[in-house]
Amino acid sequence: EAGVTQSPTHLIKTRGQQATLRCSPISGHTSVYWYQQALGLGLQFLLWYDEGEERNRGNFPPRFSGRQFPNYSSELNVNALELEDSALYLCASSLEVVSADTQYFGPGTRLTVL
Amino acid sequence: AQRVTQPEKLLSVFKGAPVELKCNYSYSGSPELFWYVQYSRQRLQLLLRHISRESIKGFTADLNKGETSFHLKKPFAQEEDSAMYYCALGSGGSNYKLTFGKGTLLTVNP
């Protein structure tokens, strides 16, 4: 079974630009979660999508947005990039929208903002 | 608001010694607790969850609601246990999310 995949592996942008990160969940998983892992801040919840809709978002500004496509893959967009957006962005998927369901993580996209 | 605290950033033990990774949480509702692990050059993966009450790779964790703790324990550490361990709290019902602690890097020395 293929795991969660993310692309690109690395992304380098300059301040003010936009970044687009992509995630493909495990086949059959309908929920996709995005997390930011910035140095010193640990893993922070960003967004949760299920069945094409945004279900919850963490404490991040609106320039962090995303969407989920009919095939359940997802895209995270970060507009007006700031230096502090440099981080590892992790995507996870789960089979059902039930609490305590296992989230399976992808390898991450390393975003560097110069 | 929910919060997860892992007081130790680094923990070093010798092979065969007992190990305990501490996790405390703050949440007003009914918590769901998890331990995730990340081995070197691997992705983050679930180790165990409190509702399963199972032992994985010799690790156990008991939810103590009185002390709001979910410490991870193993009686005899192995070198292959060296990894980053994250405690996580699931909460929110229809606004479900996982709140992670900042992690503890466990090193098991030979």
Side-chain angles (χ1 to χ4, degrees):
Chain A
E1 176 184 270
V4 175
T5 59
Q6 293 186 245
S7 64
T9 304
H10 294 90
L11 190 57
I12 299 175
K13 294 284 186 179
T14 56
R15 199 169 47 183
Q17 285 189 312
Q18 179 195 44
T20 298
L21 290 67
R22 296 180 177 82
C23 171
S24 291
I26 291 173
S27 177
H29 286 193
T30 62
S31 275
V32 171
Y33 309 82
W34 287 96
Y35 295 88
Q36 183 196 65
Q37 189 174 26
L39 201 61
L41 295 179
L43 271 157
Q44 294 185 287
F45 168 74
L46 255 171
L47 289 159
W48 167 29
Y49 290 96
D50 182 71
E51 297 287 358
E53 301 215 356
E54 182 181 302
R55 301 293 185 179
N56 195 14
R57 67 179 292 128
N59 189 24
F60 282 84
R63 57 191 187 82
F64 286 84
S65 65
R67 53 181 171 166
Q68 186 178 33
F69 300 98
N71 66 355
Y72 303 113
S73 67
S74 178
E75 204 171 79
L76 174 69
N77 294 293
V78 188
N79 294 318
L81 284 165
E82 300 179 3
L83 296 178
E84 52 265 33
D85 296 333
S86 293
L88 181 68
Y89 289 83
L90 294 176
C91 170
S93 72
S94 67
L95 182 59
E96 297 180 11
V97 183
V98 291
S99 56
D101 192 39
T102 302
Q103 292 189 17
Y104 294 85
F105 283 82
T109 292
R110 173 75 62 185
L111 173 63
T112 301
V113 182
L114 303 175
Chain B
Q2 49 267 45
R3 181 175 294 178
V4 176
T5 303
Q6 293 180 250
E8 304 134 330
K9 284 187 180 179
L10 303 169
L11 184 61
S12 182
V13 300
F14 286 103
K15 178 182 172 182
V19 62
E20 181 180 48
L21 290 86
K22 291 184 168 52
C23 172
N24 288 90
Y25 67 90
S26 173
Y27 181 54
S28 57
S30 183
E32 295 163 354
L33 277 300
F34 307 82
W35 277 98
Y36 278 81
V37 62
Q38 188 166 27
Y39 301 101
S40 180
R41 297 190 184 85
Q42 294 187 28
R43 59 185 68 187
L44 194 62
Q45 59 186 286
L46 178 69
L47 180 62
L48 55 80
R49 65 187 102 180
H50 88 272
I51 60 168
S52 300
R53 295 181 175 272
E54 57 193 347
S55 173
I56 303 293
K57 299 185 179 183
F59 284 99
T60 59
D62 291 317
L63 177 60
N64 186 323
K65 291 187 178 181
E67 295 183 358
T68 60
S69 68
F70 188 58
H71 302 328
L72 183 68
K73 300 178 185 179
K74 184 169 183 177
F76 307 104
Q78 302 299 315
E79 289 179 68
E80 55 265 31
D81 296 329
S82 296
M84 192 72 172
Y85 291 80
Y86 294 93
C87 182
L89 166 68
S91 59
S94 59
N95 292 322
Y96 187 79
K97 69 174 185 179
L98 276 181
T99 301
F100 283 85
K102 292 192 176 180
T104 298
L105 180 62
L106 173 65
T107 302
V108 181
N109 301 296

